[in-house]
Amino acid sequence: MTTTLLALALASTTAPDVVVVYPDRAQVTRQASVACGARAVTMFERVPPAAVQDSFRATVAEGTVDGLRAELVKQERVFGEKARALEARLEALGDEARGLDDQRARLDAQRALSARLLGVAELGLQKELAADRPDPKAWQTALEAPLATQLALAKAGAELGLKRRVLERTLADVRRQLDEVRAGAQQQTWRVEVLVSCPSGRATTLSLTYLVAGAGWTPAYEARAAEAAKAVELSTYATVTQVTGEDWQGVKLTLSTAVPSQNATPPAMTKLQLGALARQETKKVLTRRDEAVETVSAAPSVAMADTEAGLVARSQGVSVQLEVPEAAKVPGDGNPVRLFVGAAKLTAAFGLKVTPKLYPFAFRVAEVSNTGGWPLLPGVVDAFRAGGLVGRYPLERVAQGAAFSLTFGLEESLRVTRTVVEELKKETGVFDSKRRFTSAYRFELANYGKAPVEVTVADHLPVAEVNDLEVALSEKTTPGARVDKASGIVTWRVPLRPHEKRAVDFAFRVDVPASYDLGGL
């Protein structure tokens, strides 16, 4: 008969060592050093109840993991010693409070005796003053003694009152701590036991990982324009919050751009049915539908000029993990912590853009490519130019290597006005089967600065959603217009010398079949 001995090691790992934070949860890792043996048991205490039960996993650097068991236990043993210490402290403070109350009672008795002595002295002084030959000095000492005593008692009473108020605050604080400890003693936490087999006489590292809800991070960015160097310095920060109930003190923190709740299940195809309904033929109605069209200007694919040293970005397929350069401290009470993630210097093409239809000012815009080594999640950008904050605006998700735009405020030295020359003017008799609508606008640009500039002016052509409609630029349009057929955005590049004014004409026509109901146009 053989007997297998179990070596039990209580792991003193009350805090996490490594944390991977996702946008909607976190993966926590605790590590313990294990003295190897045939069957060594390591116990991880006080794992927060926010841990998902079926997410516990154990790995060992050398050897094998033979088993793992997790159970919820109350914290009476952990908090018992703290509760006893606080109860003893509360009792000592109570004794001190009773001593102060006794001193207050003695002061009150002395104050009453002094008042009676003062009354006797005042009565004697009155009788002395009523005599034929009064001598008030004889009663001076009798008056001064009780008065001096009352002053001393008043001072002692004030000091005693101050001590009593301080003691009351201390008592309230200790009672609060005791209530928290007693409540904590009734709370449950996970106790995880891991059974390991590894060669005797050695020590190995055991890692316990688990998922917790109530944690996440959101990105924030700082973009600093370096126009002289034709670059943008883009710094990435992370605001990390977690309410798991345990503090992350000095952990190695990694941020993941993956969202497990979105990436876990692929979409499922559903049944596609075709049918037909008899419908009376109706006349087509010409309608107008405005859309907010977002465009991204193409930027040359360039290599990253400079990256902040120490940042490690690991590809995870559709996501990236970013290691925070320094050890992080994140409290478990939900207070947000802002952490520096990394910075990259991106080659940029700066220019002025103006959309007269929407705003009569030009904006300084940098066209860049995300060559920083990691995708940019949706967040808020603080834009800096010449050392000052010029704006804050949202940034949409930018894939690694994709082009995007950053705005660095208004260019106040440039003005633009948009004048309607004609709008939706209907011409009849152009074609027998069609009606034509024409629109014309004029943009007047003025450079009041001291340096020459080039301005990109943008407006949009209507985009026909049916083949019956024909949209085209008019010959009145200023030459050099570039049209994006997908979005209908029309742009001109207009050079302006200092104090120069120039005009840009924009005109187009829309041909509509005569069979259409024009809707009152």
Side-chain angles (χ1 to χ4, degrees), residues 40-102:
V41 176
T42 301
M43 185 178 298
F44 292 86
E45 298 273 9
R46 300 175 63 184
V47 178
V52 181
Q53 182 177 8
D54 58 2
S55 68
F56 289 108
R57 299 290 185 272
T59 58
V60 66
E62 185 177 5
T64 59
V65 175
D66 298 330
L68 183 150
R69 185 181 70 174
E71 62 176 345
L72 283 171
V73 296
K74 290 186 177 181
Q75 297 298 290
E76 295 176 350
R77 181 178 61 83
V78 176
F79 288 96
E81 184 177 349
K82 293 182 180 180
R84 287 190 293 271
L86 289 172
E87 288 171 352
R89 172 68 172 157
L90 193 62
E91 184 177 354
L93 291 173
D95 293 339
E96 186 178 349
R98 287 187 288 274
L100 292 177
D101 292 340
D102 292 341

Side-chain angles (χ1 to χ4, degrees), residues 111 368 389:
R111 189 179 295 109
V368 297
L389 179 66

Side-chain angles (χ1 to χ4, degrees), residues 104-151:
R104 169 65 68 179
R106 289 194 294 271
L107 285 177
D108 291 341
Q110 293 175 9
R111 189 179 295 109
L113 178 60
S114 176
R116 288 196 296 272
L117 291 176
L118 183 61
V120 171
E122 291 175 347
L123 182 60
L125 180 60
Q126 292 175 2
K127 291 180 178 181
E128 181 66 30
L129 292 175
D132 295 337
R133 300 180 66 181
D135 184 12
K137 293 182 179 181
W139 292 92
Q140 182 176 359
T141 303
L143 286 172
E144 290 178 351
L147 287 174
T149 301
Q150 285 192 344
L151 289 175

